[in-house]
Structure formats: C-alpha cells, structure tokens
Amino acid sequence: MKLIFLGPPGAGKGTISQRITEDLGVVQISTGDLLREAVKAGSELGKQAKGYMDAGELVPDQLVIDLLKERIAKPDCEEGFILDGFPRTIPQAEALDQAGVKVDRVVNFVLEDQLIIRRLSGRRIDKVTGKIYNVNPEGEPQPPAGTPAEALLQRDDDKPEAIANRLVVYRQQTEPLIAFYKGKGILADINAGQDLEGIVRDAENAIRS
Ligand code: AP5
Ligand code: MG
C-alpha cells in the first residue's frame, strides 16, 4: 500500500502516521524528519537545507526528490509506505509518477489556520524516540506523566514567524496538489479538527475504501 498524507503544517500527519503504520504494515517516511536528521548529522544536504527549514521555506525540489527516491529504494519499503510531507509541489508529484510509484490513496488533512497555530505552538518531540506530543491542555497525545521538560524539544520552525510563513508557503505551493490528486480520483478529505480517535478512524476508513 502506497499512501500520501497531504495537509498543512500541524494538521496531524506525523501523529496519525505514528499511530497507524503498524496496523497497516507500512513504514512512515517523513521528508521533514529525514531533513532534520541530515541537519543534525551536519551532512552536505543538511547544510543546504537548514536555512530554508528554519525560515519555513521549502527545500529545493531536486534535493528532496533525490532524498525520497533513495529512501523508498530501501528494503523496508517493499510492503508499502506513508509519504508524510511529500510531495509538497507539483514537480515533486510529477517526479513520483516518473519514478513509477503508483499511489493508492491520498489522505488530505483539513484544518483551519487558528487550530494549526495553536497546535504547533504546543508541539514537543521526545528527544530519544522522536514521538510527537502536545503540551497544550487540549493537545493530544500528552507527554507521559512525569516527563521532564529537558527530555522534550521544540522544533526550530515552530516559532511564530516561521509558522506564519509555512502557512503561506503551504497555500501557494502545496495546496495545488489537492486538485492534482482529485483529478486522479484518489484523494480523500478528512476532518483533522477532531480528537485523535476520530481522525484515526476516518483515516483508516479513507485508506480501506
Ligand atoms: P515537516 O516536518 O513535514 O513539517 P510540516 O509539513 O510543516 O508539518 P508538521 O510536521 O509541522 O505537521 P504534522 O501535520 O506532521 O503535525 P503533527 O502530527 O506533528 O517539514 C518541515 C520542513 O522541512 C518544511 O518546512 C520544509 O522546509 C522541509 N520539507 C519537508 N518536506 C519537504 C518537501 N517534500 N519539499 C520541500 N521541503 C520539505 O501535529 C502537530 C501537533 O498537534 C503535535 O503537537 C500533535 O501532538 C498535535 N495534535 C495532532 N493531532 C491532534 C489532535 N487531533 N488533537 C489535538 N492535538 C493534536
Ligand atoms: Mg510532521
């Protein structure tokens, strides 16, 4: 099964991927996570990507396309994958087609800007496991009771200026993919403004239908 999770920053693509990959027997491929690993490792790619990421801009297509192709060629992708945050532009989607990747379903996470900003400002990541949490009172999932603040990190691009730019970039460069995949008849919208259980249910229904 080859799936794409599409949607604005903070809509829950990563959180839902972490919840359902095991059930579906597929792996999660987050280009954002791969790029953050490259930055952390100080590789040539990481050096090229960092400035774009911190400003909330997209990393140039060719860098991300090469990274993605290398990742999906690995053996753990044979049973299928969720592309979380790729493609983000029409040229990226065309590159996927040209690479012969036949996508079964595109799940489009729909969420209003006010909730996006709220969720991103409360997001925290476990430094060791990479698990995504939210420290807002209504956020899900909450970090386990007793987790010290030092065990969690806040992403560099979850600062107000970068968040605002990520939303603009999403509308301009990524939203056109909704029409692109609607045209192929494989897009399913889901309401990302519900609680996690509701979204997991709707996402699994969309994938299995
Ligand atoms: P990336 O890491 O992909 O970031 P993003 O698309 O901005 O999306 P996020 O990861 O911020 O949001 P999400 O939808 O995964 O939300 P999450 O599940 O964490 O990309 C980062 C950067 O890398 C880009 O800006 C770009 O520079 C570069 N990049 C990456 N891919 C690229 C590409 N293909 N081309 C070019 N550049 C690329 O949830 C958010 C928060 O909400 C969490 O705290 C979570 O706990 C909470 N939450 C989730 N669901 C709920 C709920 N139902 N109720 C309450 N709280 C919830
Ligand atoms: Mg994510």
Side-chain angles (χ1 to χ4, degrees):
M1 195 155 21
K2 299 188 175 82
L3 305 166
I4 290 173
F5 279 8
L6 183 67
K13 304 178 297 293
T15 305
I16 301 298
S17 297
Q18 291 186 350
R19 279 286 301 266
I20 68 175
T21 43
E22 219 169 295
D23 272 7
L24 297 174
V26 299
V27 292
Q28 173 198 11
I29 301 177
S30 158
T31 41
D33 286 347
L34 293 174
L35 289 166
R36 279 183 289 277
E37 278 163 26
V39 170
K40 209 171 149 191
S43 68
E44 193 45 46
L45 170 67
K47 284 180 193 147
Q48 290 180 43
K50 187 174 181 355
Y52 295 103
M53 297 175 75
D54 287 351
E57 294 288 332
L58 293 184
V59 173
D61 282 335
Q62 203 51 54
L63 293 179
V64 187
I65 290 167
D66 291 345
L67 176 74
L68 195 273
K69 280 189 183 163
E70 195 185 309
R71 179 65 189 85
I72 60 176
K74 295 203 169 143
D76 64 341
C77 292
E78 273 167 20
E79 297 298 314
F81 44 73
I82 296 173
L83 299 184
D84 160 11
F86 184 98
R88 288 269 245 275
T89 63
I90 298 284
Q92 290 180 21
E94 288 169 347
L96 205 54
D97 281 348
Q98 279 153 19
V101 175
K102 210 188 150 302
V103 177
D104 298 296
R105 209 99 178 96
V106 179
V107 181
N108 181 36
F109 288 64
V110 181
L111 189 66
E112 58 185 83
D113 286 4
Q114 239 182 328
L115 264 178
I116 289 173
I117 294 164
R118 173 84 189 146
R119 283 190 188 171
L120 289 178
S121 61
R123 173 163 59 191
R124 299 292 184 275
I125 317 283
D126 184 296
K127 284 181 185 166
V128 176
T129 64
K131 200 163 180 321
I132 303 164
Y133 295 111
N134 199 288
V135 297
N136 293 336
E138 78 290 0
E140 290 190 87
Q142 291 280 319
T147 305
E150 314 83 74
L152 303 173
L153 67 83
Q154 188 167 19
R155 269 172 48 177
D156 288 335
D157 58 350
D158 281 348
K159 308 275 150 66
E161 313 76 41
I163 292 174
N165 195 37
R166 284 158 69 199
L167 283 171
V168 171
V169 167
Y170 170 77
R171 301 281 172 235
Q172 286 176 347
Q173 302 191 50
T174 306
E175 219 167 43
L177 289 173
I178 295 175
F180 181 90
Y181 285 116
K182 225 175 230 169
K184 291 182 185 275
I186 53 173
L187 186 101
D189 286 332
I190 60 164
N191 169 13
Q194 323 169 55
D195 62 19
L196 272 188
E197 292 313 315
I199 305 171
V200 167
R201 185 198 57 226
D202 287 1
E204 290 190 335
N205 284 340
I207 290 161
R208 296 205 159 100
S209 67

